[in-house]
C-alpha cells in the first residue's frame, strides 16, 4: 500500500477509491523531489473502510469521504544500490472519520541499501 495508497499508510485497500495528483522532478543528477496529493473515499458508502493491516477502520455511516493526504519528499541516490529518502506528510480526515478527528503529520527518513 505504501506506493499506491498514500505514503502514510493510513488507509488500506478494500472498499477504497482514491485519486492522486503528483509532480516529480530531478533538479540535478541523482536527486529527485516530489509532491503528491491523495483524495480518499469509500467505493461503497454502505460498507466500512479498512486499515493496511486489514482491520476495519469504522462502521458505515453514510459518508464516503475518508480524507486527503499531502506528501512532500526528496530522494538522493548515492550509487545504484544506496539511496536516502526524506519526506513530510499530512493526513486530514474526512467526514467518514468524524468532525472531531485530528489531522496527522509524519516526518520520515529512510535509507535503502540493496545488495
Amino acid at each position: 500500500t505504501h506506493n499506491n495508497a498514500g505514503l502514510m499508510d493510513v488507509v488500506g485497500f478494500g472498499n477504497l477509491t482514491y485519486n492522486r495528483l503528483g509532480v516529480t522532478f530531478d533538479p540535478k543528477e541523482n536527486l529527485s523531489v516530489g509532491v503528491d496529493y491523495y483524495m480518499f473515499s469509500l467505493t461503497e458508502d454502505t460498507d466500512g473502510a479498512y486499515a493496511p493491516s486489514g482491520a476495519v477502520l469504522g462502521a458505515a455511516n453514510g459518508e464516503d469521504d475518508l480524507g486527503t493526504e499531502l506528501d512532500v519528499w526528496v530522494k538522493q541516490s548515492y550509487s545504484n544500490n544506496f539511496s536516502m529518502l526524506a519526506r513530510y506528510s499530512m493526513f486530514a480526515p474526512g467526514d467518514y472519520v468524524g468532525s472531531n478527528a485530528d489531522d496527522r503529520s509524519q516526518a520520515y527518513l529512510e535509507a535503502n541499501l540493496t545488495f
Side-chain angles (χ1 to χ4, degrees):
T1 62
H2 190 68
N3 291 326
N4 296 311
L7 296 177
M8 289 182 70
D9 297 328
V10 174
V11 181
F13 293 119
N15 196 29
L16 173 65
T17 300
Y18 71 93
N19 295 301
R20 175 187 169 266
L21 176 63
V23 151
T24 302
F25 64 97
D26 299 327
K28 67 178 199 171
E29 187 175 354
N30 299 323
L31 181 68
S32 298
V33 179
V35 176
D36 296 307
Y37 180 73
Y38 293 86
M39 296 164 281
F40 301 105
S41 62
L42 295 177
T43 304
E44 296 289 332
D45 61 2
T46 57
D47 192 7
Y50 301 91
S53 66
V56 177
L57 287 177
N61 60 10
E63 298 290 342
D64 66 351
D65 179 19
L66 293 172
T68 60
E69 180 177 326
L70 177 66
D71 302 317
V72 179
W73 56 269
V74 176
K75 180 179 179 182
Q76 174 70 49
S77 296
Y78 295 97
S79 67
N80 287 339
N81 61 347
F82 182 68
S83 64
M84 297 283 293
L85 174 82
R87 76 167 158 84
Y88 179 74
S89 300
M90 296 178 292
F91 181 82
D95 293 336
Y96 175 84
V97 181
S99 60
N100 294 331
D102 292 330
D103 294 351
R104 297 180 187 184
S105 296
Q106 184 180 66
Y108 193 84
L109 180 62
E110 172 185 299
N112 189 346
L113 177 61
T114 307
F115 54 95

